[in-house]
Amino acid sequence: MSSSVNPKGEYNRDSDYLSTRITNDPDAEYPVEPGRYRLVVARACPWANRAIIVRRLLGLEDVLSIGFCGPTHDQRSWTFDLDPGGVDPVLKIPRLQDAYFKRDPNYPKGITVPAMVDVQSGAVVTNDFAQLTLDLSTEWTAYHRDGAPQLYPEPLRDEIDEVAKRIYTEVNNGVYRAGFAGSQEAYDAAYERLFTALDWLSERLGDQRYLVGDTITEADVRLFTTLARFDAVYHGHFKCNRNKLTELPVLWAYARDLFQTPGFGDTVDFVQIKQHYYLVHTDINPTQIIPDGPDLSTWLTPHGREALGGRPFGDGTPPEPTRDSERVATGHGAG
């Protein structure tokens, strides 16, 4: 993500994204159309991980192809170094920046994932990660699988938006605010805000299985990707160390519940996550040493959250098993 640190040492994320939308309006510049777009992601990135999860839960694999960047990038761009020859097999480019420059030859901002690319033109349509997943839920409904869950149900949207906003500002972005703080004062304030929010979430989830309503929604997807990275990266690397996730009983049980739900834990690549943060952020980790821990097997231990009721997929069903071509590499998950 493109970002900066202000003179007070406070981390500021650049939130000015390419906000063009892909909609179900056939007259739109970019209408929903099977096979027309490619979702470019990196498993390491929490914002991209959301899009991987939502695409899988909704069963859009046949209509929206996916391209995986490697876990590290240089100052210029995410790269396709996991693919043969280091070139995306569909877009035929080695760097995601090539698709951004197709959209705008003078594109001045960070080259970010997730990004939706128009395969016909090779140009990025949008990198607005928050709107992107909502549109997959609301604009792509004609192509959802049978039994796809309602991740953004209309009666709950105001509450989902409200909860998701606090999760974004205080938790998703809060860990970065602590990790990239350029002064003690900025770090102290970020640390306090983060753990205040985590305490609020623990209280909210103490007697309900999911964040909004009794099923998994967009709000849960947004929180999960930060929790999945918490002990492996944010606790040490970003100095978010009041508690480990494993020391927060409610959030740890909630995170395991989601991790063990098809479509969540099977998208998490802990090896790539650690490679990304510890190798790319040389200002924080100049030695580029990647920690061996933590023990990941505990993600698969019983969580007991079923006792709270709730129906993970509502009236829907779990997604099909992950396709072979999209599976997390053996040894990279918690198993």
Side-chain angles (χ1 to χ4, degrees):
M1 282 290 165
S2 181
S3 58
S4 62
V5 176
N6 69 19
K8 292 183 179 179
E10 297 165 334
Y11 170 79
N12 294 314
R13 181 178 299 279
D14 180 359
S15 56
D16 185 12
Y17 299 101
L18 293 169
S19 57
T20 309
R21 293 175 60 193
I22 298 167
T23 69
N24 60 15
D25 177 359
D27 296 324
E29 182 181 6
Y30 294 103
V32 169
E33 194 177 306
R36 177 167 175 178
Y37 306 99
R38 187 158 177 82
L39 174 62
V40 178
V41 296
R43 292 193 188 276
C45 170
W47 323 95
N49 197 171
R50 298 175 179 183
I52 299 170
I53 292 169
V54 169
R55 172 181 173 271
R56 175 148 152 60
L57 294 179
L58 299 178
L60 292 170
E61 292 93 336
D62 284 339
V63 297
L64 176 61
S65 72
I66 195 165
F68 292 97
C69 295
T72 62
H73 57 75
D74 58 26
Q75 295 216 322
R76 288 190 291 162
S77 178
W78 291 90
T79 54
F80 293 100
D81 46 303
L82 301 176
D83 291 306
V87 173
D88 180 86
V90 172
L91 301 174
K92 309 297 185 189
I93 55 175
R95 294 172 170 275
L96 182 54
Q97 71 174 12
D98 298 338
Y100 277 82
F101 293 155
K102 273 282 180 71
R103 167 73 180 257
D104 177 0
N106 300 306
Y107 185 73
K109 296 182 177 292
I111 306 300
T112 64
V113 288
M116 288 280 250
V117 180
D118 178 22
V119 176
Q120 294 175 6
S121 66
V124 169
V125 178
T126 181
N127 64 340
D128 185 348
F129 63 85
Q131 188 62 48
L132 191 157
T133 50
L134 296 180
D135 284 345
L136 291 180
S137 279
T138 58
E139 301 293 325
W140 291 71
T141 50
Y143 301 101
H144 289 181
R145 65 178 175 87
D146 291 338
Q150 294 284 323
L151 298 177
Y152 197 49
E154 208 153 343
L156 298 177
R157 285 181 189 175
D158 286 348
E159 188 177 359
I160 291 170
D161 290 346
E162 182 184 345
V163 172
K165 181 179 180 181
R166 187 165 181 185
I167 289 170
Y168 170 72
T169 59
E170 306 305 295
V171 180
N172 301 146
N173 203 40
V175 292
Y176 284 82
R177 196 183 295 112
F180 288 114
S183 71
Q184 188 69 47
E185 184 180 14
Y187 165 75
D188 290 344
Y191 175 100
E192 181 65 29
R193 283 179 64 178
L194 169 64
F195 282 98
T196 296
L198 292 177
D199 290 343
W200 166 71
L201 288 163
S202 288
E203 187 174 345
R204 184 180 183 93
L205 290 165
D207 57 4
Q208 63 187 64
R209 191 170 177 187
Y210 303 111
L211 283 167
V212 182
D214 67 348
T215 65
I216 291 167
T217 67
E218 175 81 19
D220 298 293
V221 177
R222 295 189 181 199
L223 178 56
F224 171 77
T225 57
T226 295
L227 296 183
R229 288 156 177 76
F230 202 88
D231 286 5
V233 175
Y234 303 143
H235 179 271
H237 186 57
F238 279 177
K239 305 181 185 70
C240 300
N241 65 351
R242 191 194 78 181
N243 306 96
K244 295 176 181 174
L245 176 64
T246 55
E247 296 165 350
L248 299 169
V250 171
L251 286 180
W252 175 223
Y254 165 81
R256 278 177 291 154
D257 186 6
L258 289 178
F259 190 91
Q260 294 169 33
T261 299
F264 283 84
D266 51 31
T267 70
V268 177
D269 188 316
F270 287 108
V271 171
Q272 289 195 25
I273 287 167
K274 291 200 294 184
Q275 287 174 336
H276 171 71
Y277 286 92
Y278 289 106
L279 294 178
V280 171
H281 300 155
T282 53
D283 50 342
I284 299 176
N285 187 41
T287 63
Q288 295 186 296
I289 293 171
I290 302 171
D292 288 335
D295 175 12
L296 301 172
S297 63
T298 51
W299 278 100
L300 303 178
T301 56
H303 51 76
R305 297 279 293 177
E306 306 94 333
L308 295 172
R311 303 172 301 141
F313 299 103
D315 295 327
T317 56
E320 293 292 317
T322 309
R323 298 181 174 195
D324 288 348
S325 61
E326 297 182 11
R327 276 192 190 144
V328 171
T330 303
H332 284 211

